Structures are given as C-alpha cells and as structure tokens.
Amino acid sequence: MNDYSELVEKLGGLIERAEALFPECINVNDWNAIAYRWRKPCYLQAIKHPQSLSLNDLLNIDRQKEQLVQNTRQFINGLPANNALLWGSRGTGKSSLIKALLNEFSGQQLRVIEVDRQDLIDLPDIVAPLHERKEWFIIFSDDLSFEANDPGYKALKAMLDGSLAVAPENVLIYATSNRRHLMPEFMHENLEARPVDGEIHHGESVEEKISLSERFGLWLSFYPFKQEEYLTVVYHWLNKLSDHMLDMSVVKEDALRWALQRGSR
C-alpha cells in the first residue's frame, strides 16, 4: 500500500511539472486588436501588424467585391448575412478581398480571426468566448481544402449547419479555396450518377462533397484574368509603389514575359 501511495504521489508531481510546460488555456491576449490568429493549444493571438490593403486596390473583381461588401455591411449592422466561400483561380484577389474588408470596416467593430485548415477542429473552442463580445467576428480560413478523412471537415460542416450548440450571431465564416467543393473530385465518382425520370442524380460520394460547399450561403467565383485585365493590375501596382513614372511599353513586355514564365497571370 505504501508503494502504491508513493507511486500516486510521484505521478501527481510529474503531471504538475508537465502542465507547467504548456501555456495556460486563455481565450485571448489582447481584445484591442483588429485581427487575431488561432494558436495551439487554446488561445487567440493578436496580430499586431495586419496587412493594410484597400478595396480600391482590388481590380477586375467588382461584382465579387460588391456582393461581399454588401454581405459584410449587413453583418456588422446586425442584419441577416451569409457565410461566404470565395473559390477560383489563384492570384485573383480572394484572400486580399477579405483582408481589405478588415481595413474597410474595422472602425465599425469588425474583427478577423485567421484559422488554419488543420485547426478547424477547434472551432467550438474558438467561438466559445465570442458569444459575450460586442465586436463582429469573421473566421477566415485561407486556401481551404480537405481530404476524405480530414477531422476539420466535420467541424466546419457542423459550424455551418449548426450543431446542438448554436453559433454566435456575431460570427461568420469566410473561406477561400481553389476547389469549388473544397474536396478532391475523382473521375470514378461520376460513375455513381444515375438517371431518375430523365434527371441526373449524383452518387453519395459527390453529394457528400457538394453538401459542404453548399452550406455557404454566399458563393463567389473568381476567374483567371484576361491579358488586358492582368496588365491593368500590373500598371496599378507599379504606379502605386514607384516614386517615378515608368515606361509602360517596357513594363508591358516585362509583365507578359513574367506571366509566360510562370504559366499564369
């Protein structure tokens, strides 16, 4: 019995020393910030120097910009608003648009919390302290995609569709992805489709993948820039960042050559 008591005492001391190695489970380290990053094991880290993008700097996406601005404005005014999925070609302004929204509306209590894909499983812990806050929070997950057995998939799905715990009214999810349905799509899954009364019905595999993306109330599609649109963006940023006038004929050649080398605009 004495040996058992000594073992329990030693184990208790070992646990105490192990707990000291991990940071205390706190909710946030600075409520005065406008942007946060979720950090393991369980706290929101303030981002001291968020990017200062302006909506006016985002070109060729006027329709997408108008719809997301409208949705965000309704959100911060306590009106009905939707979770949003921004999907499409890389380099077309999806994540930049969300960053620009923060700078546009931070003065009206908008806050953004950046959450990596692998941390989406922590969504219940992330939103728990936000119920009592007066600010409006956007959970931002960039370049989102899932594999078949990814645990974050179900956590996001529950958050979008509602689990037993109600989602806070002051929280929305904005996600960007290169994939329309956030998950890989395979040719063999099309073989599961079947005709019913002249209509094509997808198989269970495809329906499961579609079900996640369709839980976003707002879908915004971003397409590759045409050449003139691409050059407009190049001219805008070079003029904005340069302290002298540039020879646009030389810029055009260099810009087109750079895009050809990368195989993308």
Side-chain angles (χ1 to χ4, degrees):
M1 181 63 72
N2 290 336
D3 291 341
Y4 178 76
S5 300
E6 291 179 4
L7 178 61
V8 171
E9 185 177 348
K10 289 180 179 180
L11 286 174
L14 180 61
I15 292 173
E16 290 180 0
R17 290 194 295 272
E19 289 177 343
L21 297 176
F22 296 94
E24 183 183 359
C25 186
I26 59 176
N27 291 328
V28 67
N29 63 352
D30 181 8
W31 280 120
N32 295 317
I34 64 172
Y36 302 87
R37 182 184 295 111
W38 176 251
R39 289 299 194 195
K40 293 289 190 180
C42 50
Y43 74 98
L44 294 174
Q45 179 188 48
I47 298 176
K48 296 183 179 180
H49 306 290
Q51 292 190 29
S52 56
L53 286 170
S54 168
L55 289 171
N56 293 329
D57 289 328
L58 304 179
L59 309 180
N60 306 322
I61 54 170
D62 291 342
R63 176 185 59 82
Q64 299 91 327
K65 183 164 45 175
E66 179 182 356
Q67 290 187 46
L68 198 60
V69 166
Q70 168 87 20
N71 190 68
T72 306
R73 184 176 289 116
Q74 289 184 196
F75 174 54
I76 62 177
N77 286 323
L79 300 173
N82 288 302
N83 298 302
L85 173 62
L86 288 63
W87 77 276
S89 300
R90 65 186 187 276
T92 49
K94 300 185 295 296
S95 58
S96 296
L97 179 51
I98 296 175
K99 296 171 186 175
L101 287 174
L102 174 62
N103 290 302
E104 181 75 14
F105 294 110
S106 62
Q108 301 177 52
Q109 299 296 313
L110 182 68
R111 304 292 182 258
V112 172
I113 300 174
E114 185 176 19
V115 182
D116 292 334
R117 175 187 61 81
Q118 63 270 21
D119 293 331
L120 287 173
I121 194 173
D122 298 326
L123 273 175
D125 296 324
I126 296 172
V127 303
L130 307 182
H131 280 273
E132 310 303 325
R133 299 298 306 176
K134 62 181 180 180
E135 299 89 352
W136 304 92
F137 294 91
I138 289 176
I139 304 294
F140 170 42
S141 192
D142 193 24
D143 198 18
L144 189 60
S145 63
F146 296 104
E147 299 305 322
N149 297 317
D150 198 314
Y153 170 84
K154 292 185 177 180
L156 178 59
K157 197 172 182 180
M159 182 74 181
L160 291 171
D161 196 37
S163 60
L164 189 59
V166 64
E169 294 184 357
N170 62 336
V171 175
L172 280 183
I173 296 176
Y174 284 3
T176 71
S177 178
N178 295 330
R179 290 174 171 172
R180 178 179 52 170
H181 293 138
L182 303 177
M183 297 185 71
E185 300 177 48
F186 301 103
M187 180 68 72
H188 67 81
E189 293 172 341
N190 292 324
L191 300 177
E192 300 176 8
R194 65 192 188 280
V196 178
D197 297 330
E199 296 182 353
I200 296 177
H201 287 249
H202 296 294
E204 291 183 358
S205 300
V206 175
E207 290 288 352
E208 173 68 14
K209 294 179 178 183
I210 294 175
S211 68
L212 174 62
S213 56
E214 286 193 340
R215 294 188 184 196
F216 288 91
L218 178 61
W219 263 31
L220 296 175
S221 304
F222 291 71
Y223 301 101
F225 289 158
K226 299 176 182 178
Q227 179 171 298
E228 289 306 314
E229 293 173 335
Y230 163 70
L231 291 174
T232 300
V233 173
V234 173
Y235 298 157
H236 172 82
W237 280 104
L238 287 179
N239 284 324
K240 186 178 181 70
L241 299 173
S242 300
D243 55 3
H244 61 279
M245 294 298 295
L246 298 171
D247 186 341
M248 289 305 171
S249 61
V250 175
V251 167
K252 179 177 180 179
E253 293 179 5
D254 289 342
L256 293 177
R257 187 180 302 110
W258 187 81
L260 286 172
Q261 290 172 346
R262 295 174 61 91
S264 170
R265 300 193 186 105

